Amino acid sequence: MGEMLVRREVMPITVAAGAVTVAVSVGASHAESAAIPAALVRMVSTVAAFIEFGSAPVATVASMYLPAAAPEYFRFTPGQKASVLQVAGAGTLYVTY
């Protein structure tokens, strides 16, 4: 049996004082953030949600799943927006950059 090699890379995350956090309402219709001028974005939602990124994103039930209260970090192209859609209930998506 062959040997499996696993490569693990660690990406350091810079934490900047004075970060900007915006709130996006999570509901039954998708909601879109303003353009995000950053390359690294932290997102956390008060409820389970579907998220999508891009220049004109539309979150659907086929989009990436974001569990409630589980902060995630994403690489962004500055100027992209985030779109969010509820899984079951309304809440708030917090986007920090």
Side-chain angles (χ1 to χ4, degrees):
M1 184 183 280
E3 181 179 333
M4 178 186 282
L5 297 177
V6 177
R7 181 177 176 185
R8 296 186 188 265
E9 293 182 25
V10 176
M11 184 177 121
I13 296 175
T14 302
V15 178
V20 174
T21 299
V22 295
V24 181
S25 295
V26 179
S29 296
H30 88 93
E32 192 176 290
S33 73
I36 299 167
L40 181 66
V41 177
R42 177 185 182 262
M43 293 187 184
V44 64
S45 180
T46 60
V47 295
F50 298 105
I51 56 175
E52 191 77 37
F53 313 132
S55 58
V58 177
T60 69
V61 296
S63 297
M64 183 185 326
Y65 176 79
L66 180 67
E72 294 280 356
Y73 290 84
F74 300 96
R75 289 187 198 179
F76 256 60
T77 299
Q80 284 185 320
K81 299 175 184 178
S83 174
V84 62
L85 176 70
Q86 75 182 29
V87 170
T92 304
L93 173 71
Y94 294 99
V95 181
T96 303
Y97 55 90

